[in-house]
């Protein structure tokens, strides 16, 4: 007969016993491992940014998003070969080269647009007259906005002599007469070139569209005196013409840090191109220092032909 109990005993697992010595060795090894772990360098604490670091990180993210959403600048269009060749013909002329409105330039003035030359009042005022003339022409015959986004705003241009009169004061400078036939408050933008101590050109604007006093300096300098002087002028002009103080509610002072010139003589070209962009309502600056040689030749063509080019 089969002993079932015997088979069950054979299939059951075998139990083992350990001596006290083995138990002590095991505990000793475990204790040694624990001590070694305690003697190891502590792991670094998890990074916990400060409130200032969190704010900086968020600001950088916002600026990155804004940069992606901002329209891409369209660089200045180079002159076609035939027009570029015409520049050399214009430069060979002598005497009065071009006339427009009340402005004129001669060959000596135009030579200021050659590389390395500082622009004078005649060049900047002639260019400003072209900007004003284009704006006046477009009021009578509004052009269709081009695919590049270029448009022409209703602007008014103050000559390079306006700033020196403004520094004298509204009454002493007799500035009320400067706008006897124009209502600046009906304009989109007022364009103002500024000569600082006969050593540097900058541009400024009274931007009624965006409610901003704007200053553009190719040296990257913030001109607080410009903001103060133009605010005083706007209020004085409004009191003189409208008989009430000007409402500066929601108005801002605006300046930019770039683009900047990399020499001591391109400030006048930067000034003219800042004013050009303002007159077109550009949302971005289209040029940098590297564009200055091409823009100088373009300005020679425009002044020589008394006409602004249509392309940006």
């Amino acid at each position: 007969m089969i002993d079932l109990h015997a088979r069950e005993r054979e299939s059951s697992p075998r139990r083992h016993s350990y001596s006290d010595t083995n138990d002590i060795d095991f505990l000793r090894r475990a204790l040694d491992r624990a001590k070694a772990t305690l003697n190891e360098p502590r792991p670094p604490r998890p990074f916990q940014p400060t409130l200032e670091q969190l704010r900086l990180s968020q600001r950088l993210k916002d600026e990155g998003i804004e940069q992606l959403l901002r329209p891409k600048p369209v660089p200045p269009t180079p002159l076609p070969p035939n027009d570029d060749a015409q520049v050399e013909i214009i430069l060979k002329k002598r005497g009065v080269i071009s006339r427009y409105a009340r402005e004129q330039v001669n060959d000596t003035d135009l030579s200021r647009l050659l590389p390395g030359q500082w622009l004078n009042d005649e060049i900047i005022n002639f260019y400003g007259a072209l900007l004003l003339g284009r704006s006046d022409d477009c009021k009578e015959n509004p052009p269709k906005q081009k695919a590049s986004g270029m448009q022409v705003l209703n602007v008014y241009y103050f000559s390079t002599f306006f700033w020196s009169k403004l520094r004298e004061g509204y009454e002493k400078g007799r500035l009320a007469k400067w706008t006897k036939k124009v209502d600046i408050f009906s304009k989109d933008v007022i364009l103002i070139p500024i000569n600082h101590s006969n050593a540097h050109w900058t541009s400024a604007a009274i931007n009624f569209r965006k409610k901003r006093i704007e200053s553009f300096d190719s040296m990257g300098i913030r001109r607080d005196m410009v903001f103060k002087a133009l605010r005083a002028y706007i209020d004085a002009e409004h009191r003189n013409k409208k008989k009430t103080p000007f409402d500066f509610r929601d108005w801002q002072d605006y300046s930019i840090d770039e683009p900047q010139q990399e020499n001591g003589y391109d400030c006048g070209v930067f000034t003219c191109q800042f004013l050009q962009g303002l007159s077109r309502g550009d949302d971005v600056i289209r040029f940098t220092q590297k564009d200055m040689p091409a823009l100088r030749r373009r300005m020679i063509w425009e002044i020589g032909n008394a006409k602004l080019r249509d392309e940006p």
Side-chain angles (χ1 to χ4, degrees), residues 176-194:
K177 292 185 176 181
W178 283 59
T179 53
K180 191 174 182 180
K181 297 181 180 180
V182 62
D183 178 10
I184 65 168
F185 302 101
S186 67
K187 303 295 182 179
D188 294 323
V189 182
I190 308 301
L191 308 175
I192 308 165
I194 299 176

Side-chain angles (χ1 to χ4, degrees), residues 118-119 121 160 163-164 167 193-202:
W118 206 72
L119 302 195
D121 295 274
T160 56
W163 177 251
S164 59
R167 296 299 300 275
I194 299 176
N195 185 309
H196 298 271
S197 303
N198 203 32
H200 183 52
W201 289 107
T202 70

Side-chain angles (χ1 to χ4, degrees), residues 63-81:
E63 289 177 355
I65 293 172
E66 182 181 352
Q67 186 69 26
L68 291 173
L69 296 177
R70 189 179 299 165
K72 301 298 180 183
V74 179
T77 305
L79 287 173

Side-chain angles (χ1 to χ4, degrees), residues 27-60:
L27 291 173
R28 184 179 291 113
R29 288 194 299 271
L31 182 59
D32 289 342
R33 286 194 296 269
K35 289 180 178 179
T37 301
L38 291 174
N39 291 330
E40 291 178 355
R42 293 185 179 182
R45 293 182 179 180
F47 175 69
Q48 294 181 338
T50 64
L51 179 59
E52 185 62 29
Q53 289 173 326
L54 289 172
R55 288 174 176 171
L56 176 61
S57 176
Q58 187 59 49
R59 181 168 63 83
L60 292 175

Side-chain angles (χ1 to χ4, degrees), residues 131-141 154-155 187:
L131 297 175
L132 177 58
R134 179 178 63 184
S135 176
D136 289 341
D137 290 343
C138 288
K139 283 189 297 184
E140 299 178 3
N141 302 294
N154 182 10
V155 306
K187 303 295 182 179

